[in-house]
Amino acid sequence: MTTKLDHLAIAVPDLDAALAFYRDALGLELQRIEQVEREGVRIAFLPLGDGPATSWIELVQPTRDDTGIVRWMAKHGPGMHHVCLAVADIEATLARLAAHGCELINPQPVTREDGTRYAFVHPRSAFGVLVELYEKPG
Ligand code: ZN
């Protein structure tokens, strides 16, 4: 597998208002909305492309005031929060980044319930962009 764009995450204060643009006006499909209690967010998933090559726009709305995304929006306003790249081997990618002196928010990958492993690279090392890395199971 080569590295591909998995998703762009956009921080929004109001999911319905954001869907009025991304779904209704722009015409993207809304595949599903997930409530992630642990992270205090609701996420709308809008696919771009088909099959294994599908990338996603994720609209992320905080549902609690104590979340990182609320603090981020207080500073930046709504907008593009992070870019996520799916890689074949997340540990090799993190080792490569560390060898290049990059600042890693998660030096070790974190595993989600669905088996996806992820880690964030600090925007200081990525020219102002928060970069998330995914390694999908299987
Ligand atoms: Zn993400």
Side-chain angles (χ1 to χ4, degrees), residues 92-121:
T93 304
L94 290 171
R96 183 191 172 98
L97 287 162
H100 281 79
C102 299
E103 193 175 340
L104 304 174
I105 294 172
N106 307 107
Q108 297 298 324
V110 183
T111 304
R112 287 227 166 86
E113 283 145 44
D114 70 356
T116 299
R117 298 199 298 160
Y118 71 91
F120 282 95
V121 182

Side-chain angles (χ1 to χ4, degrees), residues 15 47 50 52 54 63 67 85 89 96 106 109 117 125 138:
L15 214 47
D50 304 297
T54 303
T63 55
T67 60
L85 302 176
D89 183 340
R96 183 191 172 98
N106 307 107
R117 298 199 298 160
S125 291

Side-chain angles (χ1 to χ4, degrees), residues 54-107:
T54 303
S55 299
W56 303 84
I57 287 181
E58 294 186 5
L59 304 174
V60 183
Q61 179 204 306
T63 55
R64 293 196 311 258
D65 286 339
D66 63 340
T67 60
I69 205 126
V70 168
R71 289 188 292 276
W72 186 89
M73 267 199 289
K75 197 168 160 191
H76 301 275
M80 212 185 78
H81 182 261
H82 65 266
V83 171
C84 179
L85 302 176
V87 300
D89 183 340
I90 194 168
E91 275 166 16
T93 304
L94 290 171
R96 183 191 172 98
L97 287 162
H100 281 79
C102 299
E103 193 175 340
L104 304 174
I105 294 172
N106 307 107

